[in-house]
Coordinates of all heavy atoms in Angstrom, one line a residue:
F1 N 14.5 -2.4 -3.9 CA 14.2 -1.3 -3.0 C 12.8 -1.7 -2.4 O 11.8 -1.4 -3.0 CB 14.1 0.0 -3.7 CG 13.9 1.2 -2.8 CD1 15.0 1.8 -2.2 CD2 12.7 1.7 -2.6 CE1 14.8 2.8 -1.3 CE2 12.5 2.7 -1.7 CZ 13.6 3.4 -1.1
P2 N 12.8 -2.4 -1.3 CA 11.5 -2.8 -0.7 C 10.7 -1.7 -0.2 O 11.1 -0.7 0.4 CB 11.9 -3.7 0.4 CG 13.3 -3.3 0.8 CD 13.9 -2.8 -0.5
V3 N 9.4 -1.8 -0.6 CA 8.4 -0.8 -0.1 C 7.2 -1.6 0.4 O 6.6 -2.4 -0.2 CB 7.9 0.1 -1.3 CG1 6.8 1.1 -0.8 CG2 9.0 0.8 -2.0
T4 N 6.8 -1.2 1.7 CA 5.6 -1.8 2.3 C 4.6 -0.7 2.5 O 5.0 0.4 3.1 CB 6.0 -2.5 3.6 OG1 7.0 -3.5 3.4 CG2 4.8 -3.1 4.2
V5 N 3.4 -1.0 2.1 CA 2.3 0.0 2.4 C 1.2 -0.7 3.3 O 0.7 -1.8 3.0 CB 1.6 0.4 1.1 CG1 0.5 1.4 1.3 CG2 2.6 1.0 0.1
F6 N 1.0 -0.1 4.4 CA -0.1 -0.5 5.3 C -1.3 0.2 4.8 O -1.4 1.4 4.9 CB 0.3 -0.2 6.8 CG 1.5 -1.0 7.2 CD1 2.8 -0.5 7.1 CD2 1.4 -2.3 7.7 CE1 3.9 -1.2 7.4 CE2 2.5 -3.0 8.0 CZ 3.8 -2.5 7.9
H7 N -2.2 -0.6 4.2 CA -3.2 0.0 3.2 C -4.6 -0.4 3.6 O -4.8 -1.5 4.2 CB -2.8 -0.7 1.9 CG -3.7 -0.5 0.7 ND1 -4.0 0.8 0.2 CD2 -4.5 -1.3 0.0 CE1 -4.8 0.7 -0.8 NE2 -5.1 -0.6 -1.0
N8 N -5.5 0.5 3.3 CA -6.9 0.3 3.4 C -7.5 0.5 2.0 O -7.5 1.7 1.5 CB -7.6 1.2 4.4 CG -9.1 1.0 4.4 OD1 -9.7 0.3 3.6 ND2 -9.7 1.6 5.4
P9 N -7.9 -0.5 1.2 CA -8.3 -0.3 -0.1 C -9.5 0.6 -0.3 O -9.8 1.1 -1.4 CB -8.6 -1.7 -0.7 CG -8.7 -2.6 0.6 CD -7.9 -1.9 1.6
A10 N -10.3 0.8 0.8 CA -11.5 1.7 0.7 C -11.1 3.2 0.8 O -12.0 4.0 0.7 CB -12.5 1.3 1.9
C11 N -9.9 3.4 1.1 CA -9.4 4.8 1.3 C -8.7 5.3 0.0 O -7.8 4.7 -0.5 CB -8.4 4.8 2.4 SG -7.5 6.4 2.6
G12 N -9.2 6.5 -0.5 CA -8.7 7.1 -1.7 C -7.2 7.5 -1.6 O -6.4 7.3 -2.5
T13 N -6.9 8.0 -0.4 CA -5.5 8.4 -0.2 C -4.5 7.2 -0.3 O -3.5 7.2 -0.9 CB -5.3 9.1 1.2 OG1 -6.1 10.3 1.1 CG2 -3.9 9.5 1.4
S14 N -5.0 6.1 0.3 CA -4.2 4.8 0.3 C -4.1 4.3 -1.1 O -3.0 3.9 -1.6 CB -4.9 3.8 1.3 OG -4.0 2.9 1.7
R15 N -5.2 4.3 -1.9 CA -5.1 3.9 -3.3 C -4.2 4.7 -4.0 O -3.4 4.3 -4.9 CB -6.5 3.9 -3.9 CG -7.4 2.8 -3.3 CD -8.7 2.6 -4.1 NE -9.4 3.9 -4.3 CZ -10.4 4.3 -3.5 NH1 -10.7 3.6 -2.4 NH2 -11.0 5.4 -3.7
N16 N -4.2 6.1 -3.8 CA -3.3 7.0 -4.6 C -1.8 6.6 -4.2 O -1.0 6.7 -5.1 CB -3.6 8.5 -4.2 CG -4.8 9.0 -4.9 OD1 -5.0 8.7 -6.1 ND2 -5.5 9.8 -4.2
V17 N -1.5 6.3 -3.0 CA -0.2 6.0 -2.6 C 0.3 4.8 -3.3 O 1.4 4.7 -3.9 CB 0.0 5.9 -1.1 CG1 1.2 5.2 -0.7 CG2 -0.1 7.3 -0.5
V18 N -0.5 3.7 -3.4 CA -0.1 2.5 -4.0 C 0.1 2.8 -5.6 O 1.1 2.3 -6.1 CB -1.2 1.4 -3.9 CG1 -0.9 0.2 -4.7 CG2 -1.2 1.0 -2.4
A19 N -0.8 3.6 -6.1 CA -0.6 3.9 -7.5 C 0.7 4.7 -7.8 O 1.4 4.5 -8.8 CB -1.8 4.7 -8.1
A20 N 1.0 5.7 -6.9 CA 2.2 6.5 -7.0 C 3.5 5.6 -7.0 O 4.4 5.8 -7.7 CB 2.2 7.5 -5.9
I21 N 3.5 4.7 -6.1 CA 4.6 3.8 -5.9 C 4.8 2.9 -7.2 O 5.9 2.8 -7.7 CB 4.4 2.8 -4.7 CG1 4.5 3.7 -3.4 CG2 5.5 1.7 -4.7 CD1 4.0 2.9 -2.2
R22 N 3.7 2.5 -7.7 CA 3.8 1.7 -9.0 C 4.2 2.6 -10.1 O 4.9 2.1 -11.1 CB 2.4 1.0 -9.3 CG 2.2 -0.1 -8.3 CD 0.9 -0.8 -8.5 NE 0.8 -2.0 -7.6 CZ -0.3 -2.4 -7.1 NH1 -1.5 -1.9 -7.3 NH2 -0.2 -3.5 -6.2
Q23 N 3.8 3.9 -10.1 CA 4.1 4.8 -11.2 C 5.6 4.9 -11.4 O 6.2 5.1 -12.4 CB 3.5 6.1 -11.0 CG 3.9 7.1 -12.1 CD 3.2 8.5 -11.9 OE1 2.1 8.6 -11.5 NE2 4.0 9.6 -12.2
V24 N 6.4 4.9 -10.2 CA 7.8 5.0 -10.2 C 8.6 3.7 -10.4 O 9.8 3.6 -10.3 CB 8.3 5.8 -9.0 CG1 7.8 7.2 -9.0 CG2 8.1 5.0 -7.7
G25 N 7.8 2.6 -10.7 CA 8.4 1.3 -11.0 C 8.7 0.4 -9.9 O 9.5 -0.5 -10.0
R26 N 8.1 0.7 -8.8 CA 8.2 -0.2 -7.6 C 7.0 -1.0 -7.4 O 5.8 -0.4 -7.5 CB 8.6 0.6 -6.3 CG 9.9 1.4 -6.4 CD 11.1 0.5 -6.4 NE 12.3 1.2 -6.5 CZ 13.1 1.1 -7.6 NH1 12.8 0.2 -8.6 NH2 14.3 1.8 -7.6
E27 N 7.1 -2.2 -7.0 CA 5.9 -3.0 -6.6 C 5.9 -3.2 -5.1 O 6.7 -3.9 -4.5 CB 5.9 -4.3 -7.3 CG 4.6 -5.2 -7.1 CD 3.3 -4.4 -7.5 OE1 3.3 -3.7 -8.5 OE2 2.4 -4.6 -6.8
P28 N 5.0 -2.5 -4.4 CA 4.9 -2.6 -3.0 C 4.4 -3.9 -2.4 O 3.5 -4.5 -3.1 CB 4.0 -1.4 -2.6 CG 3.0 -1.3 -3.7 CD 3.9 -1.6 -5.0
E29 N 4.8 -4.2 -1.3 CA 4.1 -5.2 -0.5 C 3.0 -4.5 0.2 O 3.1 -3.5 0.9 CB 5.0 -5.8 0.6 CG 4.4 -6.8 1.5 CD 5.2 -7.3 2.7 OE1 6.4 -6.9 2.7 OE2 4.6 -8.0 3.5
V30 N 1.8 -5.0 -0.1 CA 0.6 -4.3 0.4 C 0.1 -5.1 1.6 O -0.3 -6.3 1.4 CB -0.5 -4.1 -0.7 CG1 -1.8 -3.6 -0.2 CG2 0.1 -3.3 -1.9
V31 N 0.0 -4.5 2.7 CA -0.5 -5.1 3.9 C -1.9 -4.5 4.2 O -1.9 -3.3 4.6 CB 0.4 -4.9 5.1 CG1 -0.2 -5.5 6.4 CG2 1.8 -5.5 4.8
E32 N -3.0 -5.2 4.1 CA -4.3 -4.8 4.4 C -4.5 -4.9 5.9 O -4.9 -6.0 6.4 CB -5.4 -5.5 3.6 CG -5.3 -5.1 2.1 CD -6.5 -5.7 1.3 OE1 -7.6 -5.8 1.9 OE2 -6.3 -6.0 0.2
Y33 N -4.1 -3.9 6.7 CA -4.0 -4.1 8.1 C -5.4 -4.3 8.8 O -5.4 -4.7 9.9 CB -3.3 -2.9 8.7 CG -4.0 -1.6 8.6 CD1 -4.8 -1.1 9.6 CD2 -3.8 -0.8 7.5 CE1 -5.5 0.1 9.4 CE2 -4.5 0.4 7.3 CZ -5.3 0.8 8.3 OH -6.0 2.0 8.2
L34 N -6.4 -3.9 8.1 CA -7.8 -4.1 8.7 C -8.0 -5.7 8.8 O -8.8 -6.1 9.6 CB -8.9 -3.4 7.9 CG -8.8 -1.9 8.1 CD1 -9.9 -1.2 7.2 CD2 -8.9 -1.4 9.5
K35 N -7.4 -6.4 7.8 CA -7.6 -7.8 7.8 C -6.5 -8.5 8.7 O -6.8 -9.4 9.4 CB -7.5 -8.4 6.4 CG -8.6 -8.0 5.5 CD -8.4 -8.6 4.1 CE -9.5 -8.2 3.1 NZ -9.3 -8.7 1.8
S36 N -5.3 -8.1 8.5 CA -4.2 -8.8 9.2 C -4.0 -8.3 10.7 O -3.5 -9.0 11.5 CB -2.9 -8.5 8.5 OG -2.5 -7.1 8.5
G37 N -4.5 -7.1 11.0 CA -4.3 -6.5 12.3 C -2.9 -6.0 12.5 O -2.1 -5.9 11.6
W38 N -2.7 -5.5 13.7 CA -1.4 -5.0 14.1 C -0.8 -5.8 15.3 O -1.6 -6.3 16.1 CB -1.6 -3.5 14.5 CG -1.9 -2.6 13.5 CD1 -3.2 -2.0 13.3 CD2 -1.1 -2.0 12.5 NE1 -3.2 -1.2 12.2 CE2 -1.9 -1.1 11.7 CE3 0.2 -2.1 12.2 CZ2 -1.4 -0.4 10.7 CZ3 0.7 -1.4 11.1 CH2 -0.1 -0.6 10.4

């Protein structure tokens, strides 16, 4: 069940989302869009 998070590690909401995904047993693909761009 693929999960992708377009993430900013400096953002608490974004960190909470990654933690919530991991809590339910999924390992998200984390895209730091400030580095990779759009």
Side-chain angles (χ1 to χ4, degrees):
F1 188 85
V3 180
T4 302
V5 179
F6 296 91
H7 175 63
N8 178 350
C11 171
T13 301
S14 201
R15 291 190 305 271
N16 281 324
V17 164
V18 171
I21 294 166
R22 289 179 173 146
Q23 179 179 320
V24 298
R26 300 289 178 244
E27 185 55 39
E29 175 186 354
V30 175
V31 177
E32 290 189 33
Y33 67 90
L34 292 177
K35 292 180 182 178
S36 64
W38 294 102

